[in-house]
Amino acid sequence: MRTLGWIISTMLLTILGYVVFFGLCCSIQYNGRSLVYLWSDYYASNGGPTHLKSLEWNEHCEKYKQWDAVILGASRAERSYDPQFFVNHGIEVFNFGTSAQSIQNSKILVDHILAGSSNTKEIWLDVYPASFKDDALESSADLIQNIGFVEAPFEIARENKDFRMVNLILKRYFCQNGDVPLANASYKENGYVAVDQTLSDELKNKLKNFHPYISSDFQVGEKSLRAFESILKICAEHHVTCRVIVSPVSDFGSQLELDRMLQVITPVLKSQNVTLVNLSKVPGIETTLHFYDEKHLNVQGVKIFNESLLGKLSK
């Protein structure tokens, strides 16, 4: 019994010591950053767009604001749907797109969004092949540190089954939120991040010699597919319409991977009677004029896409 007690005491003291050490590394600054960043960049910092939109979401919920649609997805979603455009057409929209958001993490967010408010009429889920990869570390790092739902970080950490999630949980509570530079982007209201620039000369030159992908090892992850199915079922249980949307893809995108994703998710959509809105190619949108990098629309491209989407949804 003494041996067992010694083992338990040692384990508890070790855990306590680690927590204290981690807390000190968060509080001590070196070259303007917490010491904790010396051994890892953690993929995301405390603060930034996800933190800002979480604060805004909580503020709106306190006022019992009703949403016609809440948008979920990765940074392509965050930067492709301008809520103000839809508000101008009588549709109240909140953009809950976040950096590299995986389908698995979208499922956790849907749980909290619909459980916390019966005032959401529709979920617009922006899908892209990268969202269906089962490795969700970048997405989880951002959400664990910055999402406003109290229980969500622990659920995300549990889903990942990765010891690094423990560090991220500690970092959420020990490191202060800061102003994270958005690199030529600006945070707008209701979760939208806008970029008003076109492709760099370097990318334009790259595009001239770019050839479509003829092979790829991309596969839709099993966990991601289950999470996708769950999202559709959760929406149905709450009597919330789910619209699955493919936003515009630049000439740098892989049509092969997009087709592979659509081939896998289409039977799931049919089984749940959910319609796919495929706007991967929109007339008038050109890579050199309407994207600012390989994946993301600029404000001019967003306007054309949102107009096209509104037209589709109005039919």
Side-chain angles (χ1 to χ4, degrees), residues 52 95 98 110 123 148 184 206 217 228 237 246 266 272 279 284 310:
L52 293 173
N95 189 328
T98 59
V110 165
I123 293 291
N184 301 317
K206 181 180 176 181
D217 61 359
F228 179 68
E237 289 168 3
V246 182
T266 297
Q272 299 296 320
L279 290 172
L310 183 63

Side-chain angles (χ1 to χ4, degrees), residues 44-45 47 50 98-99 137-147:
S45 299
T50 303
T98 59
S99 177
L137 182 58
E138 183 178 351
S139 169
S140 299
D142 176 42
L143 291 170
I144 285 175
Q145 294 176 92
N146 296 306
I147 197 65

Side-chain angles (χ1 to χ4, degrees), residues 35-49:
L35 279 179
V36 74
Y37 288 107
L38 289 179
W39 69 75
S40 176
D41 63 6
Y42 288 93
Y43 287 91
S45 299
N46 298 59

Side-chain angles (χ1 to χ4, degrees), residues 21-257:
F21 171 75
F22 199 96
L24 287 172
C25 287
C26 282
S27 61
I28 299 172
Q29 299 286 308
Y30 177 77
N31 285 341
R33 302 189 80 197
S34 297
L35 279 179
V36 74
Y37 288 107
L38 289 179
W39 69 75
S40 176
D41 63 6
Y42 288 93
Y43 287 91
S45 299
N46 298 59
T50 303
H51 175 66
L52 293 173
K53 70 181 62 186
S54 292
L55 293 176
E56 203 173 358
W57 173 268
N58 291 340
E59 181 185 347
H60 286 315
C61 284
E62 288 176 3
K63 298 176 181 176
Y64 303 102
K65 185 158 186 172
Q66 179 170 297
W67 299 108
D68 293 311
V70 174
I71 297 158
L72 292 171
S75 57
R76 280 171 43 81
E78 181 178 57
R79 302 181 181 215
S80 293
Y81 300 80
D82 180 3
Q84 189 57 52
F85 169 86
F86 294 100
V87 167
N88 293 341
H89 291 83
I91 304 172
E92 290 286 344
V93 169
F94 192 92
N95 189 328
F96 230 127
T98 59
S99 177
Q101 188 181 120
S102 66
I103 292 295
Q104 296 169 70
N105 287 337
S106 295
K107 184 263 177 187
I108 292 173
L109 293 182
V110 165
D111 273 330
H112 286 273
I113 288 167
L114 297 186
S117 172
S118 59
N119 294 327
T120 300
K121 295 181 181 178
E122 296 188 359
I123 293 291
W124 295 357
L125 181 63
D126 187 275
V127 295
Y128 189 67
S131 303
F132 282 91
K133 294 179 180 179
D134 282 350
D135 180 6
L137 182 58
E138 183 178 351
S139 169
S140 299
D142 176 42
L143 291 170
I144 285 175
Q145 294 176 92
N146 296 306
I147 197 65
F149 304 119
V150 176
E151 297 175 4
F154 299 95
E155 294 173 21
I156 293 169
R158 187 173 65 246
E159 264 313 300
N160 278 267
K161 297 179 176 62
D162 187 324
F163 184 76
R164 288 173 292 183
M165 300 299 116
V166 175
N167 284 348
L168 290 167
I169 291 285
L170 292 174
K171 191 165 171 288
R172 173 187 175 93
Y173 291 103
F174 283 126
C175 286
Q176 292 183 343
N177 290 313
D179 294 326
V180 179
L182 290 176
N184 301 317
S186 58
Y187 181 83
K188 306 294 183 181
E189 62 182 357
N190 290 5
Y192 172 53
V193 174
V195 178
D196 189 8
Q197 66 180 47
T198 55
L199 283 185
S200 65
D201 290 337
E202 181 183 353
L203 285 176
K204 287 178 182 177
N205 290 330
K206 181 180 176 181
L207 185 61
K208 291 176 183 177
N209 302 309
F210 184 81
H211 299 287
Y213 296 95
I214 58 174
S215 64
S216 171
D217 61 359
F218 165 74
Q219 297 291 337
V220 171
E222 291 183 13
K223 290 194 295 184
S224 298
L225 187 60
R226 288 197 298 271
F228 179 68
E229 213 166 348
S230 295
I231 290 172
L232 305 185
K233 289 179 179 178
I234 291 168
C235 288
E237 289 168 3
H238 285 85
H239 307 290
V240 169
T241 300
C242 183
R243 300 185 187 274
V244 178
I245 304 168
V246 182
S247 52
V249 177
S250 78
D251 292 338
F252 289 108
S254 172
Q255 188 63 43
L256 181 68
E257 293 183 355

